[in-house]
Amino acid sequence: MALNAQLKQRLSIPLEKRRESGGFRSLNVCKISDEILNFANNDYLGLSSHPSIQVAGREAIDRYGASSSASPLITGYGPAHESLLQSLKQWYGIEHGVIWNSGYVANQALLSSLPEKGDLVLADRLIHNSMISGILASGARLTRYRHCDVAHLESLLVEAKNSERMVFVVTESVFSVDGDYPDLKAIAALKEKYGFFWIVDEAHAVGWYGDKGSGLCEAFEALDQVDCIVGTLGKALGSMGAYTLFKDSLAPDYLVNFAGEFIYSTYLPPVCAAMAEEAIRQVSKAAAARGQEASRRIRAQLIELGYNASRGDSAIVSIRMDTAEKTVSAAEYLKRKGILVGAVRPPTVPEGTSRLRLSLKASMDEAVQERLISAFEELRGSLK
């Protein structure tokens, strides 16, 4: 059999299975108009279209051009990146850090570089694919504790207490699918007791929590115990890229010297860095409860309508629809009503747990909230 034919067969079989399961993915051009309410993207604070951030972007393009045009260790790391990094350090009160091209790259580089064979990584069962990918590449032993179950985490720490293994604990603060979060203060107490290296991905908490808006670690007063904060510039901060922050210079120095994801790729455009820095200024000036009250109210209304909606106060609300077909159908119905939501299906989530995913916006007024709930009320009637 010719190689070309072999490859065609190799690729077509899993694709056909994906189609049959209802989970086939394809790219579609997304055109957002003023008539559509976008609850599918992660622009939680609406900063991607904020006038001052757009001005910062235009000024950065005029000053630096549209691309960094090189890897960061050649000429790609410029004044805009350095200024952003200094702002991030000041925002968190953490002295050392690295800026990355994306959150996926940051997590993969971090967790494939710091743990190594012989180490133990204790990770929440529902951590992001980027974190799993990094851990598996590291060669360290991966053990998952039950989702947001601090007691189960402690039992695993007790088992590892007398081992010579280095122990890492990895969690998200706000989880990306259901928008729930663990008791970070309780995990901080475990850090005091057991002395592991603690990594927290704040991607979906940045901008929504904390008096300064830096995330849940700030809100839970756990920043002093966290060894590495991972954050994104492309969600609430309305730009693109990511960052990792450390209390010590050794880890960032190691990543800059050995992480291929950092060394061998053209760096983040300076315009993204400038826009993110302006977004930090805007977030720092805003009130602490960025949409949390509205989030609790919307969840309560959805539950009252009979939906299996996740509880909490984050920007992410998930609604279980069970089957992939039902989930896609519901998302399409809402789109016709001018409401854009995410349809999360296997393999992103386990079979039988497909769900609609809403990314709420802190700027929602009462009229927008009423329109959202009204659309779900109509959807409920169509599902019967």
Side-chain angles (χ1 to χ4, degrees):
M1 183 183 291
L3 179 61
N4 189 38
Q6 286 179 322
L7 183 59
K8 285 182 177 180
Q9 183 179 24
R10 185 187 305 168
L11 301 181
S12 63
I13 291 173
L15 283 173
E16 188 57 36
K17 289 181 179 177
R18 182 62 61 84
R19 286 190 180 92
E20 291 172 356
S21 70
F24 184 77
R25 298 174 171 125
S26 60
L27 285 173
N28 296 291
V29 176
C30 184
K31 297 179 180 179
I32 304 297
S33 68
D34 293 337
E35 290 75 37
I36 293 177
L37 297 178
N38 189 349
F39 289 99
N41 70 22
N42 297 315
D43 188 13
Y44 303 130
L45 305 182
L47 292 181
S48 67
S49 57
H50 191 283
S52 70
I53 293 169
Q54 292 180 339
V55 168
R58 286 192 288 269
E59 291 177 350
I61 288 178
D62 289 342
R63 187 175 304 140
Y64 306 116
S67 172
S68 64
S69 304
S71 67
L73 293 175
I74 305 300
T75 61
Y77 186 82
H81 303 98
E82 175 63 16
S83 182
L84 169 62
L85 185 57
Q86 294 306 317
S87 290
L88 286 165
K89 292 176 184 179
Q90 184 176 5
W91 197 26
Y92 283 90
I94 298 177
E95 294 183 11
H96 307 280
V98 181
I99 294 171
W100 305 83
N101 284 1
S102 75
Y104 198 103
V105 162
N107 275 331
Q108 185 169 265
L110 176 72
L111 286 159
S112 64
S113 299
L114 298 191
E116 61 181 35
K117 189 173 182 179
D119 293 340
L120 173 63
V121 180
L122 302 177
D124 188 290
R125 181 164 292 280
L126 297 186
I127 56 170
H128 194 267
N129 178 273
S130 59
M131 305 180 96
I132 297 170
S133 175
I135 296 166
L136 293 178
S138 74
R141 177 185 168 190
L142 169 61
T143 299
R144 300 195 198 189
Y145 59 90
R146 290 188 292 271
H147 180 50
C148 290
D149 190 334
V150 178
H152 187 213
L153 171 59
E154 182 167 21
S155 71
L156 295 173
L157 288 167
V158 170
E159 289 179 15
K161 189 174 182 179
N162 296 321
S163 168
E164 294 184 358
R165 292 175 181 268
M166 181 172 179
V167 178
F168 293 79
V169 170
V170 179
T171 186
E172 296 176 45
S173 54
V174 172
F175 281 82
S176 60
V177 174
D178 286 335
D180 54 347
Y181 50 84
D183 185 343
L184 295 177
K185 187 167 284 190
I187 300 178
L190 295 184
K191 169 70 187 295
E192 286 272 12
K193 190 174 181 180
Y194 297 100
F196 48 80
F197 191 95
W198 190 15
I199 299 172
V200 180
D201 184 345
E202 289 263 45
H204 293 276
V206 171
W208 197 264
Y209 294 101
D211 289 340
K212 296 190 293 183
S214 68
L216 263 184
C217 289
E218 179 197 344
F220 273 99
E221 299 180 344
L223 276 173
D224 288 344
Q225 293 300 322
V226 180
D227 294 289
C228 175
I229 292 283
V230 183
T232 181
L233 310 174
K235 294 181 172 61
L237 297 184
S239 182
M240 182 65 192
Y243 53 91
T244 48
L245 297 173
F246 306 86
K247 298 172 186 174
D248 189 278
S249 65
L250 278 175
D253 284 348
Y254 186 88
L255 291 168
V256 166
N257 279 275
F258 294 102
E261 295 90 339
F262 181 84
I263 298 167
Y264 299 113
S265 182
T266 298
Y267 207 34
L268 188 75
V271 60
C272 295
M275 291 170 69
E277 185 174 15
E278 176 59 25
I280 291 170
R281 293 191 192 99
Q282 296 299 322
V283 170
S284 299
K285 294 190 298 184
R290 298 167 174 80
Q292 294 168 37
E293 182 180 343
S295 175
R296 287 189 288 266
R297 181 167 57 251
I298 286 170
R299 292 168 197 269
Q301 290 174 310
L302 289 169
I303 291 169
E304 187 176 342
L305 288 173
Y307 287 102
N308 184 5
S310 60
R311 298 178 184 273
D313 58 10
S314 73
I316 300 168
V317 180
S318 76
I319 302 169
R320 288 283 187 94
M321 305 298 289
D322 300 325
T323 69
E325 293 78 10
K326 190 175 181 181
T327 303
V328 171
S329 176
E332 290 175 347
Y333 180 94
L334 290 169
K335 186 175 182 180
R336 291 193 295 272
K337 296 292 181 181
I339 308 290
L340 198 62
V341 303
V344 184
R345 298 161 287 162
T348 302
V349 293
E351 290 288 344
T353 67
S354 292
R355 63 203 76 184
L356 299 175
R357 180 186 182 277
L358 283 69
S359 292
L360 304 180
K361 307 297 184 280
S363 60
M364 298 178 301
D365 58 22
E366 288 187 13
V368 167
Q369 295 177 45
E370 288 174 5
R371 182 177 164 189
L372 175 66
I373 295 303
S374 177
F376 270 94
E377 190 171 9
E378 292 178 24
L379 171 64
R380 193 67 185 166
S382 75
L383 293 174
K384 293 178 180 178

